[in-house]
Amino acid sequence: MMRDSHARLERLTSMLRRRGVILPAFEIHGGVAGLFDFGPIGGRLRRRLKNAWLEHWSSHGNIVEIDSPTITPESVLIASGHVGEFNDYMSECCACNGAFRSDHLVEGLHPNPDILTAEELNSIITDNSIPCPSCGTAEWKPPQPMNLMFDTQIGAMKGGRTAYMRPETAQGMFMLFPALYRHFRNRLPFGAVQSGKGYRNEISPRQGMIRLREFNMAELEYFIDPETKPAHDFSKWNDVTFSLVPDPEFGGPVEMTPGKASDENIIRHPTVAWFMARTWDFLVDVGIHPSKIRFRQHEGTEMAHYATDCWDAEIHGSYGWIECVGIAHRGCYDLAAHESATGDKNLRAWRPYDTPKVVDKTILAGIGSVIGPAFKSKAGMVNSALEALDDLPKSFPFKLILDDGSTVTIESEMVEEKHIQNTEHGEWFLPHVVEPAFGIDRILWHVLDHAFEETEKGGETYTVLRLRPTVAPIDVAVLPLMEKDGLQSISEDIHQLICSTKNLASYYDGSGSIGRRYARADEVGVPWALTIDHETLENGTVTIRRRDDGKQIRSQPQDIITALTTNTIDELF
RNA sequence: GCGGAUGUAGUGAAGGGGUUAUCACCUGAGGUUUCCAACCUCAUGUCACGGGUUCAAAUCCCGUCGUCCGCACCA
């Protein structure tokens, strides 16, 4: 069984190379691990998958697309926590050469190993003679920094500003929070999506498309008011059960509807549950088998530095269960971090009170003509200290402590009692954010993996890529039954016509037997094949063949194009 | 990053110190046939890269890079 699935994986990757879908990059220069090219078929497939993703989210009406730079100044990633998180130290064992994360070795010996320097880690490791987990020896080389981000310099000359290629696209959305807030006329909830490249300098990328050094990601940041109870309608998913694998601390795997999982607090936040459901919709839409999707909750120990709850959508394929989407409740972590790093006050949202809060207060107000001459340059501080008094003194004179720590004596003739009324109409708060983050390459891989079907035809294996029409890179194959008697030029005209139709792609294939050409089209997942034959010369009709069952009907090319663009082609059959 | 295996056309493989590197599929041209990988003829294209040994290296040796398996790593 294992051997069979391994052989299938090899046949699939061979086909992807041979047909120009996905290929190792820079191969004529020896190749680079973790970098891949998308060929003519793969490029379109990825484009369609991304478009499907963007359309899926923009259909909500309060989610917009943005695009931000991949080069990111260091300070942004220090604030976000990535510089700390992505710069771990590794210790190497002198005896067996095993490499381990230094902070993992000293776990339990220090409350927060993450923050230790190389020297501190080294001394804890040597002082405690920590044994090597694989060979037991307690001799270590000094910890070496391991930087998982690609670094670079902004500015061509020496002394430029340090920057990194972004390890995620999320920070771009946080940077744009003020603009988004204005765009949505100061009203939560709203979201922003971005799809683009991310970079991680993996130590040893393996498993093909699963771990890449440069990858396509698509992230959504959905900003919410933590005090508004979200109203999500889960009734749409009442007849689908999700496979849920909660943190073992909270219980074993269950199958249930997202609505019920939310009601029973297995998924702690309704918005997280709702995004899980919408994610499930997306994955199924682009051709992932529903039975091969499960949601796994992160355990406390593996939770990223920013998250308060996190569910991964995992997809099962040739490499087992693989995390393809992470849906994290990040709380206000990022906005708070950037606020405290920059002092910028625009990362908050305004929450009006239902009824304004009226605060009645009796205060002692300084009498300017007395306070001024009495305290001179300190008069301002005295006034503000008086206003800030919560409990009015019972008698005069009394001592008043100023902001600078000094004490002054206040006499009764310096002040008068005043009633003031303050009306607060609302407050500024840091929005919370729910972040679904999609690994496009991993999803794309599984779309191919699930679509790749090997059947038998006349004793030979026959390969069909059962891609959904929404993601299929090519919509139509145009095939003249033979390239003579004028069939060729009609076919080329039809091919041109289809290619010039918006959102449709056709490819022309005139060589080899008709059966061979159907097979070639099936192998890369072309859903429809038009064949031009002698009857076309008489009445203009062509045959259209459906990939998934080989069924054919006759119709006019223009009617077929209309049906394709309106997504009603199946009605012709 | 460590250990083991490995690198030959687009794909999959065989071979191997000595003239022009082999096979199948694939791809292209011509012929024939015409609706599901038919056939015939011809053609294109390959020894990962760099260095060394040698009269001669795709072959032996070393290094680099890549790939696979195991360990470790994987916000």
Side-chain angles (χ1 to χ4, degrees), chain A residues 26 34-36 46 50 68-72 77 82 86 147-152 163-170 194-203 211-217 219 441:
Chain A
F26 307 114
L35 299 179
F36 283 86
R46 197 194 67 184
K50 271 191 173 188
S68 48
T70 56
I71 298 175
T72 310
L77 295 163
H82 287 96
F86 278 71
N147 186 0
L148 287 179
M149 288 194 290
F150 285 95
D151 53 2
T152 184
Y164 297 97
M165 305 303 287
R166 65 180 176 197
E168 60 169 29
T169 60
Q194 170 165 214
S195 150
K197 297 277 194 174
Y199 302 85
R200 277 174 214 176
N201 207 350
E202 297 283 354
I203 302 167
R211 277 176 69 201
L212 300 172
R213 290 199 162 116
E214 173 175 329
F215 48 95
N216 293 282
M217 58 197 322
E219 293 185 296
D441 307 286

Side-chain angles (χ1 to χ4, degrees), chain A residues 94-116:
Chain A
C94 294
C96 72
N97 287 323
F100 301 87
R101 271 178 60 167
S102 312
D103 57 331
H104 287 182
L105 291 173
V106 304
E107 206 130 87
L109 297 166
H110 191 277
N112 192 1
D114 264 0
I115 59 164
L116 295 172

Side-chain angles (χ1 to χ4, degrees), chain A residues 64 66 170-192 221-225 334-336 338-339 344-350 428-433:
Chain A
V64 290
I66 63 136
Q171 298 310 316
M173 272 79 93
F174 297 124
M175 297 298 103
L176 276 183
F177 178 81
L180 291 165
Y181 187 59
R182 252 177 285 132
H183 175 83
F184 284 106
R185 302 190 173 275
N186 306 2
R187 223 176 270 179
L188 294 172
F190 59 76
E221 306 297 328
Y222 196 71
F223 297 96
I224 54 174
D225 180 345
D334 301 273
L335 291 174
H338 290 297
E339 183 184 79
D344 197 290
K345 294 293 179 219
N346 290 309
L347 302 176
R348 288 175 178 250
W350 175 254
W428 291 97
F429 69 99
L430 286 162
H432 283 197
V433 65

Side-chain angles (χ1 to χ4, degrees), chain A residues 485-502:
Chain A
D485 302 337
L487 296 182
Q488 178 169 6
S489 67
I490 299 180
S491 304
E492 280 169 352
D493 290 347
I494 292 174
H495 166 63
Q496 276 299 323
L497 183 64
I498 296 172
C499 283
S500 59
T501 306
K502 209 176 166 202

